[in-house]
Amino acid sequence: MSAIGTSLGRIDGPEKVTGTAPYAYEHDVAEPVYLHAITATIPSGTITRMDTTAAEAVDGVLAVLTPWNAPRLADTSDGEYSILQGPTVAFRGQIIGGVVAETAEVARHAQSVVRVEYDVRPHDATFRIDGPDVYVPEVANGGSDAVSTDGNPEAVLAQARARGGPVVDSWYSSPEEHNNPMEPHTTIACWDPAENALTLHDSTQGPHGVASTLAPVLGLEPDRIRVIAPHVGGGFGSKGAPHAHNVLAALAARALPGRSVKFAVTRQQMFVFTGYRPAIASHVRLAADAEGRITALIHDAYSQSSRVKEYVEQTAVGSRSMYAAEHRSTSHRAVPLDVPVPYWMRAPGECPGMFAGEVAMDELAEACGLDPIELRVRNDPPTDPESGKPWASRRLVDCLREGARRFGWDARARTPGTCRVGNALVGLGVASAAYPHMINPGSQATVTLREDGRYGVQIDAVDIGTGTWTTLTLIAADALGCPPERVVLEIGDNALPSASVAGGSSGTSSWGAAILAAVDAFRQRYGHEPAVGASVTAGSDAEPDEDYQPYSFGAHFVEARVDVDTGEITVPRMLGVFSIGRVINPRTVRSQFIGGMTFGISMALQEESVRDPRFGHVVTQDFATYHIPVHADVQDVDAVWLDDVDTRATPMGSRGAGEIGNVGSAAAVVNAIYNATGVRVRDLPVRADALLSGLPEA
């Protein structure tokens, strides 16, 4: 019987619910000391003086780091990591020092009495598409070309306008959003001067990546940095790489060799130097013929970036492949500001990009007089428009049809704003979802027959709450032909065989392929009756079939209700139908889907980091003012998937599932709100006052 496909409960579940699973800050270390960051209170300028006298006099303070006494970094080329190396301030909240003390309370108090004086310079923290420094980068995030053009879309669009054909020409925007996993970014750093080595207990999505990134910054070889992360309390992309707080912890550990420096980033600081989804603006223009087939598609995206380091979301990349269009162009522009560096947030690029694209498709359906599903079906491309390759598996139409059947799409009001139930206007909305399938190279695994008769499987994968402990156990058991309880998995330590980052929905694909390769090598060497102690380490060079284009697809269906008196928006029903190849563990994959769909509700209706342009900082720095869904906001949400096996994508037949759930989901909410009220909202999050024109008069 195949272990893959078994609905197995989380192997790490008992540890987590009993509180015995050690997260980064909770590891038992000898002689811990505590670090608190000193941060800049201006958005741009130069530190002229730091008076640390009062802080150093506080009982229990061991060290106060400043730009004038901190250890020197070996490589300062990366602006995000180059902290405490000079007096320049690039954004408000930048780390400019740190206090280490015997207790966390003393460290926090002592940093508050450090007095800093500045020479303040003018700054710009306002995101706008006509900013003075807007530019076209060479590439967007992920290495995609910033600009891509096929045919002559501008001319075709102009012709469509001239003849009065269906045209969409609209702007769409999403604000800054912060990842905010329940476990904040935390690390414990210990410097061993005898070995010239650093140990980090870190909340990260990739221990090997932390070591390889920090090594040149600190002037070490990667094998001199050990990173341990067996349990991680969420990341949503923000923990996909180290940030400035890791460097500060390492500098503090170097200043106090032999002591274990504990550093927990505060919830307020999570809105500063640990990454965030940047503000995005998209200009989408579409033209279609009389049958509703897209003749021109233009998507121009603007992404907030930082003067410290460039980061440009690949917002328009999804529009290169999503629908058929002979004439198409996409472009990206960076808007550099005096703000912290943005970074990955679940489905970076695809999420805000497909919000814009899928709302635009809803508008085009209306302009064409077509049902939104029918418009998408008519423009489903037989091959990938960008590469020209056939799809490894594209079952988007199946997802749309199955979702429509399950959700009761036929009950949707054809005229927006005409369906009322009690005191609420009711609408249904739909949006497509797509996410590229990736396998990152270089992962390895070790398989060993233990003395207790079980198989040990070691790989430096990470479980950030996604179910890795369970999923990889199932993959190993399936390959070994044994029940899951005979597999003992070890992950989350770069002393184990190397593994790629848990990002881009690539983790299970990359790590699973490595485990299959290691089991295959184990069987080839030892057969099916190995002796105790038999062990093999092997890696996988598996990649998706280069003759095909692998993607995951899905369709979101939403019912939205809008109170006719208050404009309050609720989402009583939401359904996602997905095609991701073979499902490894139905229980954890459904959790992933529903989590992503909840992200979509949150993005559409609640999440917004409000940055005050006068002072350069985010003012919504806690869960009281930065709103995310609670149980009452997420009612009947369900996710299903199509049975499929895609061996062109991975040896397991699976594709990525982690991010497809929140791609397109916000658009489905917005499209349902339009169907309910007749008000088209293009700027997130949707507020009640935006719907006033669609509410009936008293």
Side-chain angles (χ1 to χ4, degrees):
M1 180 178 177
S2 174
I4 290 180
T6 302
S7 186
L8 184 65
R10 291 177 182 265
I11 290 172
D12 52 324
E15 288 183 275
K16 288 182 175 178
V17 299
T18 58
T20 58
Y23 291 87
Y25 199 74
E26 300 169 332
H27 284 272
D28 187 16
V29 293
E31 297 187 280
V33 294
Y34 299 85
L35 170 64
H36 198 91
I38 305 169
T39 57
T41 56
I42 64 167
S44 181
T46 303
I47 304 167
T48 57
R49 181 170 178 266
M50 286 185 73
D51 184 355
T52 61
T53 306
E56 291 167 342
V58 175
D59 187 32
V61 168
L62 302 174
V64 180
L65 300 178
T66 73
W68 288 274
N69 68 3
R72 297 298 90 184
L73 297 175
D75 183 352
T76 58
S77 60
D78 189 311
E80 181 179 10
Y81 302 135
S82 182
I83 61 168
L84 276 61
Q85 303 302 291
T88 301
V89 174
F91 56 87
R92 181 163 178 166
Q94 175 183 317
I95 295 174
I96 59 173
V99 175
V100 186
E102 295 288 358
T103 70
E105 294 78 10
V106 168
R108 186 161 192 161
H109 166 67
Q111 67 82 32
S112 71
V113 299
V114 174
R115 296 292 173 254
V116 185
E117 297 175 7
Y118 305 94
D119 177 15
V120 182
R121 291 194 299 268
H123 72 280
D124 183 4
T126 302
F127 175 71
R128 59 190 188 277
I129 62 171
D130 60 349
D133 300 322
V134 174
Y135 67 95
V136 178
E138 291 186 10
V139 296
N141 178 41
S144 303
D145 291 338
V147 178
S148 174
T149 302
D150 295 307
N152 194 344
E154 293 283 359
V156 173
L157 185 70
Q159 292 167 5
R161 278 203 180 96
R163 67 172 182 268
V167 170
V168 172
D169 187 339
S170 298
W171 284 88
Y172 308 86
S173 73
S174 56
E176 289 185 46
E177 300 166 351
H178 281 76
N179 310 54
N180 273 304
M182 288 302 293
E183 181 198 20
H185 288 249
T186 57
T187 193
I188 303 175
C190 185
W191 193 278
D192 183 343
E195 298 291 335
N196 194 33
L198 176 69
T199 297
L200 296 175
H201 295 275
D202 193 41
S203 185
T204 177
Q205 293 173 222
H208 268 84
V210 171
S212 62
T213 300
L214 292 183
V217 175
L218 300 173
L220 297 172
E221 293 298 320
D223 63 3
R224 296 288 87 192
I225 302 178
R226 185 177 179 188
V227 183
I228 302 167
H231 300 284
V232 178
F236 311 122
S238 68
K239 297 176 183 176
H243 296 287
H245 71 283
N246 295 93
V247 179
L248 179 63
L251 292 177
R254 182 174 272 178
L256 294 166
R259 301 298 297 269
S260 294
V261 178
K262 288 193 169 190
F263 184 20
V265 175
T266 68
R267 184 59 62 183
Q268 289 72 34
Q269 291 167 349
M270 292 280 288
F271 288 85
V272 188
F273 46 73
T274 60
Y276 58 97
R277 193 191 303 282
I280 300 289
S282 286
H283 187 196
V284 179
R285 292 175 285 166
L286 302 172
D289 61 20
E291 286 74 42
R293 291 180 173 81
I294 299 172
T295 56
L297 187 159
I298 303 170
H299 187 168
D300 299 312
Y302 294 75
S303 174
Q304 176 175 309
S305 186
S306 171
R307 298 192 198 280
V308 171
K309 184 166 85 174
E310 179 183 275
Y311 176 89
V312 182
E313 291 257 303
Q314 72 276 25
T315 309
V317 168
S319 293
R320 296 174 183 176
S321 292
M322 194 61 203
Y323 297 110
E326 183 178 354
H327 299 273
R328 173 193 326 258
S329 72
T330 58
S331 70
H332 300 81
R333 289 171 177 80
V335 183
L337 300 174
D338 299 305
V339 296
V341 182
Y343 194 58
W344 302 344
M345 183 169 174
R346 202 172 191 177
E350 286 81 6
C351 183
M354 288 198 67
F355 159 70
E358 288 300 299
V359 176
M361 285 294 285
D362 208 63
E363 297 195 55
L364 184 63
E366 182 185 32
C368 293
L370 289 173
D371 179 88
I373 292 178
E374 180 59 28
L375 176 72
R376 288 166 170 82
V377 172
R378 292 188 185 187
N379 289 282
D380 194 59
T383 59
D384 175 25
E386 183 176 20
S387 67
K389 296 178 181 179
W391 300 104
S393 174
R394 179 179 171 113
R395 299 186 64 189
L396 175 59
V397 172
D398 293 338
C399 292
L400 289 164
R401 298 292 194 210
E402 178 64 12
R405 183 188 69 81
R406 287 173 176 260
F407 202 68
W409 183 253
D410 288 344
R412 177 179 179 268
R414 299 302 181 228
T415 302
T418 60
C419 180
R420 180 167 174 171
V421 177
N423 214 42
L425 297 172
V426 181
L428 302 185
V430 67
S432 299
Y435 196 78
H437 169 74
M438 291 176 278
I439 296 181
N440 288 322
S443 294
Q444 295 185 313
T446 296
V447 176
T448 304
L449 181 60
R450 297 158 40 114
E451 290 186 359
D452 60 7
R454 295 188 292 172
Y455 291 97
V457 177
Q458 298 175 313
I459 184 170
D460 185 28
V462 174
D463 193 326
I464 58 174
T466 50
T468 300
W469 281 101
T470 311
T471 303
L472 295 189
T473 296
L474 287 173
I475 291 172
D478 193 83
L480 289 163
C482 67
E485 54 267 25
R486 284 196 63 198
V487 174
V488 180
L489 183 70
E490 292 182 63
I491 62 173
D493 188 336
N494 72 329
L496 302 174
S498 64
S500 58
V501 68
S505 299
S506 66
T508 298
S509 299
S510 306
W511 310 327
I515 289 173
L516 291 188
V519 171
D520 183 62
F522 185 88
R523 291 299 188 211
Q524 288 189 27
R525 181 176 298 181
Y526 299 110
H528 289 272
E529 295 184 3
V532 170
S535 182
V536 166
T537 300
S540 171
D541 57 2
E543 294 181 355
D545 190 325
E546 63 180 12
D547 295 327
Y548 294 86
Q549 189 66 34
Y551 261 74
S552 289
F553 291 97
H556 297 282
F557 293 81
V558 168
E559 176 186 323
R561 298 197 173 203
V562 179
D563 188 282
V564 297
D565 296 322
T566 67
E568 179 185 6
I569 307 161
T570 57
V571 178
R573 288 195 302 138
M574 189 173 191
L575 171 68
V577 182
F578 301 97
S579 172
I580 61 163
R582 190 182 187 190
V583 169
I584 306 297
N585 185 356
R587 193 177 311 193
T588 52
V589 84
R590 182 176 181 272
S591 176
Q592 284 282 283
F593 288 149
I594 289 177
M597 293 159 67
T598 304
F599 257 66
I601 296 173
S602 186
M603 181 180 183
L605 302 180
Q606 295 175 315
E607 287 195 60
E608 180 180 19
S609 298
V610 179
R611 189 173 296 278
D612 189 329
R614 299 170 301 167
F615 308 110
H617 70 302
V618 170
V619 298
T620 49
Q621 291 188 354
D622 52 46
F623 283 147
T625 51
Y626 184 85
H627 297 156
I628 57 175
V630 297
H631 285 299
D633 297 310
V634 183
Q635 299 176 36
D636 180 8
V637 179
D638 198 9
V640 297
W641 49 89
L642 308 179
D643 290 330
D644 200 4
V645 177
D646 187 357
T647 54
R648 293 172 178 146
T650 66
M652 298 83 67
S654 60
R655 295 194 299 271
E659 288 157 289
I660 187 76
N662 75 313
V663 176
S665 49
V669 175
V670 170
N671 293 340
I673 292 170
Y674 173 75
N675 185 242
T677 64
V679 178
R680 180 68 69 184
V681 181
R682 302 182 181 94
D683 304 309
L684 297 182
V686 182
R687 297 186 176 87
D689 57 359
L691 306 179
L692 290 177
S693 63
L695 303 183
E697 295 182 4

